[in-house]
Amino acid sequence: MSQLSSETSLISPSHTPTKDVPLRLGVMASGSGSNFEAIAQAIERGELNACIQVLIYNNPGAKAAARADRLGIPAVLLNHREFASRDALDAAIVQTFQNYAVDWVVMAGWMRLVTPVLIDAFPHRILNIHPSLLPAFKGVHAVEQALAAGVKIAGCTVHYVVPEMDSGEIIIQAAVPVLPDDTAETLQARIQVQEHLIYPRAIALAAAQALQG
Ligand code: GAR
């Protein structure tokens, strides 16, 4: 049952306007950083009232760092291989974000588990994007998992980060069809179009919810 065209998406809920004070975002990325750049572009277009204070990346040579350079956004490498534990890495992340006066943390393709050291420093203010319709297909290779399961609808989810992987409260999801000849690459590309749309909206929505208490 694949009745949606490849251009069709289902996004919920609808856009919520941001308030007057710009959000101070800290972004975490491990690889390409296309979501990072999509958020920066949404800010540039005036669709999200925010400023990206700093990008943290963990892999030397990550394309996200080159994007930050081009966008004029500070980028800090915290190479997880140089830390004795997850807690030690997360303590350095917290310190960096505090140095840059970050008040919202945006995980955009951060491929490391995070600990309460980070989560407790930004209570209910850390978001993550995952390339599946959670709670389906948690963890790594979510797109491959979806293809292997034979689902006809796939998608992406922005959610709050809690200690249990990919399990926090859902903020926004978008759905895309799985087409008969899809590979992981073609399905991932279709999902990413939606990721770039929903992540800025999810940030605005989470901030609006925080203001409402
Ligand atoms: C995105 O598709 C995101 O959903 C996924 O990594 C990709 C990063 O792309 N995240 C996860 O799988 C987290 N478990 P990007 O670097 O181009 O933004």
Side-chain angles (χ1 to χ4, degrees), residues 22-28 33-44 48-56 64 67-68 71-75 97 100-106 108 200 203:
L23 308 172
R24 296 191 301 268
L25 308 181
V27 178
M28 299 162 62
S34 71
N35 279 284
F36 160 57
E37 181 154 4
I39 293 164
Q41 289 172 345
I43 293 170
E44 188 67 28
L48 174 63
N49 187 16
C51 173
I52 301 178
Q53 305 287 100
V54 63
L55 168 77
I56 291 177
R67 293 184 200 261
L71 293 163
I73 295 171
F97 282 154
Y100 281 89
V102 163
D103 53 19
W104 284 86
V105 175
V106 175
I203 295 165

Side-chain angles (χ1 to χ4, degrees), residues 135-146:
F137 311 130
K138 297 178 181 178
V140 294
H141 306 308
V143 176
E144 288 85 349
Q145 289 184 58

Side-chain angles (χ1 to χ4, degrees), residues 94-193:
V94 170
Q95 184 64 61
T96 302
F97 282 154
Q98 288 173 348
N99 291 347
Y100 281 89
V102 163
D103 53 19
W104 284 86
V105 175
V106 175
M107 291 168 52
W110 181 258
M111 304 307 281
R112 309 283 309 165
L113 293 174
V114 295
T115 72
V117 171
L118 174 60
I119 295 169
D120 294 348
F122 295 92
H124 217 57
R125 283 174 176 254
I126 307 179
L127 310 187
N128 181 48
I129 191 156
H130 185 74
S132 78
L133 293 173
L134 289 173
F137 311 130
K138 297 178 181 178
V140 294
H141 306 308
V143 176
E144 288 85 349
Q145 289 184 58
L147 282 176
V151 298
K152 302 304 181 193
I153 303 284
C156 48
T157 302
V158 180
H159 63 93
Y160 291 100
V161 173
V162 296
E164 300 76 31
M165 182 185 63
D166 299 329
S167 296
E169 181 190 343
I170 291 169
I171 302 168
I172 300 184
Q173 295 182 303
V176 301
V178 179
L179 302 182
D181 56 352
D182 261 337
T183 63
E185 290 71 30
T186 59
L187 180 54
Q188 169 80 18
R190 192 174 308 117
I191 290 170
Q192 280 226 307
V193 171

